[in-house]
């Protein structure tokens, strides 16, 4: 399929997501505390039972490291964080991605892999004490095989521990974890180590400065380390808008990218 033919459905569905987000997000709800625009950091907060939190994002990134010469688009990515019972939520993330490969002179579009996450809050911090939560995630290979490591569909499993606390106007996040993911070179699974440090600093009424450093280390692949800096604005109705830029610090990362989106929450059942 030619690149121009792929852009038409992307713009169509992107417009639908934006309009839907604006309509639902206009309903006054509790403030959203989602993870956008962070690329990897996850906080220790969970969605209240009976509520769903929606994260909608649009990303563009560029990678010219090594033999790569491609531009990637997430148009859009979406995550649903669903409060099931007290201190426990289930998250489902997916989307549509497009890769414009200048070296191969081709454009590929596909649904994204789907991530299914189970998150539990074990300790809710008070005053200066941080909150503690754990996550277990399954990376389900729903993207076409050209987007898969070694062109094969295999499920990855990761887990992490998240600490979140507040120090004055600063809200900080510390994550560490790991798991098993498909090797980028063969049919085996390899261990992966994950870490992230992020912060959200209130700088004005409803405006915050956000920053993140995150990394991923696995055998047979270059380390992926990225730095992000951006801004968020939360409306009186609880809709959180964000925009950020990020830069790769190691050879396993994209050179640069931008992301923007919104987060909102609303009740789906119960009080």
């Amino acid at each position: 399929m030619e690149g121009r033919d792929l852009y038409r459905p992307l713009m169509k569905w992107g417009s639908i997501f934006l309009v839907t987000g604006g309509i639902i997000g206009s309903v006054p709800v509790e403030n959203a505390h989602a993870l956008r625009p962070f690329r990897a950091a996850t906080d220790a907060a969970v969605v209240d039972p009976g509520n769903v939190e929606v994260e909608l994002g649009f990303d563009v990134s560029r990678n010219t490291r090594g033999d790569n010469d491609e531009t990637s688009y997430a148009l859009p990515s979406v995550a649903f964080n669903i409060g099931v019972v007290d201190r426990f939520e289930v998250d489902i993330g997916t989307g549509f991605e497009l890769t414009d490969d200048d070296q191969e002179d081709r454009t590929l579009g596909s649904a994204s892999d789907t991530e299914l996450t189970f998150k539990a809050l074990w300790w809710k911090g008070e005053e200066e004490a941080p909150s503690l939560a754990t996550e277990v995630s399954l990376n389900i290979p729903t993207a076409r095989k050209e987007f898969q490591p070694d062109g094969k569909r295999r499920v990855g499993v990761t887990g992490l521990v998240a600490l979140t606390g507040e120090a004055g106007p600063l809200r900080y996040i510390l994550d560490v974890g790991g798991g098993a993911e498909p090797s980028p070179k063969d049919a085996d699974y390899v261990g992966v180590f994950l870490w992230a440090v992020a912060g959200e600093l209130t700088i004005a009424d409803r405006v915050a400065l956000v920053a993140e450093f995150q990394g991923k280390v696995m055998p047979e692949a270059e380390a992926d380390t990225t730095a992000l800096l951006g801004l968020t604005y939360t409306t009186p109705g609880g809709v959180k808008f964000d925009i950020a830029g990020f830069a790769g610090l190691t050879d396993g990362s994209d050179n640069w990218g931008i992301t923007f989106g919104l987060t909102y929450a609303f009740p789906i059942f119960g009080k």
Side-chain angles (χ1 to χ4, degrees):
M1 183 180 291
E2 297 294 332
R4 66 180 63 183
D5 295 329
L6 283 169
Y7 282 102
R8 294 191 184 100
L10 282 175
M11 297 306 296
K12 174 183 176 182
W13 286 105
S15 300
I16 292 173
F17 270 103
L18 279 176
V19 172
T20 304
I23 294 173
I24 300 176
S26 64
V27 180
V29 292
E30 294 185 13
N31 288 342
H33 299 287
L35 310 177
R36 286 204 50 85
F38 300 139
R39 293 174 56 78
T42 180
D43 63 8
V46 295
V47 179
D48 291 336
N51 288 349
V52 61
E53 192 173 64
V54 180
E55 303 176 50
L56 180 66
F58 298 84
D59 302 355
V60 180
S61 61
R62 180 71 177 151
N63 186 2
T64 59
R65 301 183 191 274
D67 297 330
N68 297 305
D69 187 8
E70 60 186 31
T71 305
S72 299
Y73 306 86
L75 299 169
S77 63
V78 62
F80 300 93
N81 310 318
I82 305 167
V84 180
V85 295
D86 189 36
R87 301 195 176 195
F88 183 78
E89 72 178 41
V90 175
D91 307 333
I92 304 173
T94 187
F96 189 93
E97 58 185 312
L98 180 72
T99 299
D100 188 2
D101 192 330
D102 293 336
Q103 184 174 352
E104 298 289 336
D105 193 24
R106 65 175 182 174
T107 301
L108 292 176
S110 172
S112 305
D113 285 342
T114 299
E115 188 167 89
L116 178 63
T117 301
F118 304 93
K119 184 176 183 181
L121 174 63
W122 300 101
W123 174 262
K124 187 173 183 179
E126 298 179 358
E127 296 180 353
E128 297 182 358
S131 298
L132 171 68
T134 57
E135 282 190 357
V136 176
S137 299
L138 301 177
N139 186 50
I140 303 170
T142 51
R144 59 191 294 177
K145 65 179 183 179
E146 290 88 348
F147 285 78
Q148 304 297 336
D150 199 31
K152 298 180 179 179
R153 290 187 170 92
R154 289 162 290 168
V155 177
V157 181
T158 58
L160 60 82
V161 176
L163 284 175
T164 303
E166 295 183 359
L170 174 66
R171 184 170 181 263
Y172 62 86
I173 300 171
L174 305 174
D175 296 341
V176 62
E181 292 188 354
S183 168
K185 295 185 177 181
D186 54 49
D188 294 332
Y189 280 84
V190 295
V192 58
F193 174 70
L194 307 169
W195 63 270
V197 178
E200 186 175 35
L201 178 66
T202 300
I203 58 175
D205 185 31
R206 302 186 179 277
V207 179
L209 177 69
V210 295
E212 177 198 40
F213 291 93
Q214 66 89 20
K216 178 179 180 179
V217 180
M218 62 188 303
E220 304 177 353
E222 297 287 350
D224 178 358
T225 308
T226 304
L228 174 145
L229 185 66
L231 291 170
T232 67
Y233 170 73
T234 304
T235 70
V239 185
K240 184 178 180 181
F241 293 92
D242 64 77
I243 185 169
F246 54 90
L249 306 180
T250 53
D251 290 340
S253 312
D254 291 341
N255 297 72
W256 60 267
I258 57 175
T259 180
F260 64 94
L262 58 86
T263 304
Y264 53 89
F266 58 92
I268 53 176
F269 60 85
K271 186 177 180 179

